[in-house]
Amino acid sequence: MKITIGHLYPDLLNLYGDRGNIQCMMKRCLWRGIDAETIEFRLGDSIDFSDLDIVLLGGGSDREQMLVCSELKKIQESFHSYVEDGGSVLAVCGGYQLLGHYYKTEEGTIEGLSLVDLYTEQGSPRLIDNIVLENPQFSLPIVGFENHGGRTYIGSNRPFGKVLYGKGNNGEDGTEGVLYKNVVGTYLHGPLLPKNPHICDYLLSNALGRKYGTSDLSPLDDTQEKEANQYIFHRFVKQQP
Ligand code: GLN
C-alpha cells in the first residue's frame, strides 16, 4: 500500500512550519509498513489530482494568499472533482480560508476555491491563543494554537470541533474549522498532527479507504502523544485539582 501526499505551494503557504504535518503523516505510514511519498507543487506546476491521496494547503500571510489566489483558479475544477470524489485534504489557516468562497481584507478580496461553502472576513484584533476542541467523533480532544485575523463563517457545515478554550472560526459561534467529505479545514497551526495523532490517523484511514477499500490502521504506541494532549487539555480546560 502507498499514500501519496501533495503539498501545494510550500514556498508560500508554510507559516509556522505547517509542513511538519506531512512528516507526521509519512512517519505514521512508514511505521506501519505503508509506503509514503510527498510531491511538492510550486506556482505554475500542473497538478494531476488522480496521483494524490492527501493534499496539504498550509497557512500564509494575506500577501502570500493573494499571490496563490490566481493560481488556484487554474486548478479549481480538478481540485473540486478530487474533493467531491472523497479525496482527503488538510487545509490550515490561510489554506483553510482559501477553501471557501472568499477572504475579504482591507487590501481587497482574495477569491477562494469555493470547495466548501464558507467565507472569511478580516476582523480585529487577531485571534491568537492556545485552543482546545472537542468532537465526539474523535477519541481525544484536539489541541493546538491559533493565530489569525480572519473570521470564518461555515453556515450549516459541520465544524472540525466545538471550542472548549480559545476563539475558533470567528470568536462568536463556538465552532472551529470545518469537516466536509474528507476535507479538514482548521485554524490550528504548526504541529497539529503530532499533537493530535488521532487526527493524523483519521486523514490516513480516509485516504486508504478511498484508495484500497480498507481503512484499518494497525495501532501505534501513542503513550507520549496522548499524555501531551491530556496535559494541554487539563491546563486550559479542566484544571487539575
Ligand atoms: N492571513 C490570514 C489571517 O490572518 C491567515 C493567517 C495564517 O495563515 N496564520 O487570517
Side-chain angles (χ1 to χ4, degrees), residues 6-232:
H7 190 181
L8 267 54
Y9 319 123
D11 43 343
L12 292 166
L13 300 180
N14 184 36
L15 219 53
Y16 313 122
D18 291 325
R19 80 166 72 226
N21 290 313
I22 290 187
Q23 283 161 352
C24 182
M25 290 191 272
M26 302 265 293
K27 265 286 181 213
R28 292 181 73 81
C29 280
L30 297 175
W31 282 334
R32 292 171 163 124
I34 301 168
D35 275 348
E37 177 196 19
T38 300
I39 308 176
E40 296 193 345
F41 298 96
R42 310 212 169 230
L43 293 187
D45 290 351
S46 63
I47 304 175
D48 184 350
F49 281 89
S50 64
D51 290 342
L52 305 178
D53 305 307
I54 302 179
V55 170
L56 179 91
L57 264 179
S61 65
D62 292 0
R63 189 189 65 84
E64 290 161 329
Q65 286 176 278
M66 196 66 97
L67 286 173
V68 294
C69 164
S70 54
E71 190 75 11
L72 295 179
K73 283 202 193 102
K74 298 184 207 155
I75 60 164
Q76 200 279 341
E77 228 178 280
S78 45
F79 204 167
H80 180 258
S81 310
Y82 169 83
V83 165
E84 291 303 306
D85 186 52
S88 291
V89 178
L90 174 62
V92 179
C93 205
Y96 165 42
Q97 295 170 343
L98 292 171
L99 292 181
H101 301 302
Y102 62 84
Y103 169 34
K104 196 168 165 189
T105 76
E106 276 176 11
E107 276 75 46
T109 297
I110 299 169
E111 268 185 69
L113 286 152
S114 289
L115 300 180
V116 185
D117 186 17
L118 58 85
Y119 66 93
T120 303
E121 294 181 347
Q122 197 172 48
S124 178
R126 291 186 74 78
L127 306 176
I128 308 172
D129 205 342
N130 286 284
I131 180 163
V132 181
L133 316 176
E134 81 171 352
N135 181 338
Q137 181 179 342
F138 300 113
S139 54
L140 290 173
I142 303 163
V143 302
F145 189 80
E146 61 180 325
N147 180 355
H148 51 107
R151 270 66 170 162
T152 296
Y153 299 90
I154 62 168
S156 56
N157 281 298
R158 271 186 309 147
F160 183 36
K162 180 178 144 209
V163 177
L164 298 181
Y165 179 90
K167 298 291 188 282
N169 278 331
N170 46 56
E172 295 161 23
D173 64 15
T175 66
E176 201 292 316
V178 76
L179 291 176
Y180 172 74
K181 293 187 179 261
N182 286 333
V183 175
V184 176
T186 179
Y187 274 115
L188 273 59
H189 256 306
L192 166 69
L193 300 184
K195 282 181 173 174
N196 300 282
H198 49 307
I199 304 303
C200 187
D201 285 356
Y202 171 76
L203 289 160
L204 295 179
S205 82
N206 286 341
L208 288 171
R210 172 173 177 254
K211 192 169 186 181
Y212 298 107
T214 166
S215 50
D216 281 351
L217 289 172
S218 49
L220 296 173
D221 178 6
D222 289 330
T223 313
Q224 287 188 334
E225 289 86 343
K226 284 180 182 159
E227 270 176 24
N229 181 292
Q230 283 304 297
Y231 175 82
I232 296 293

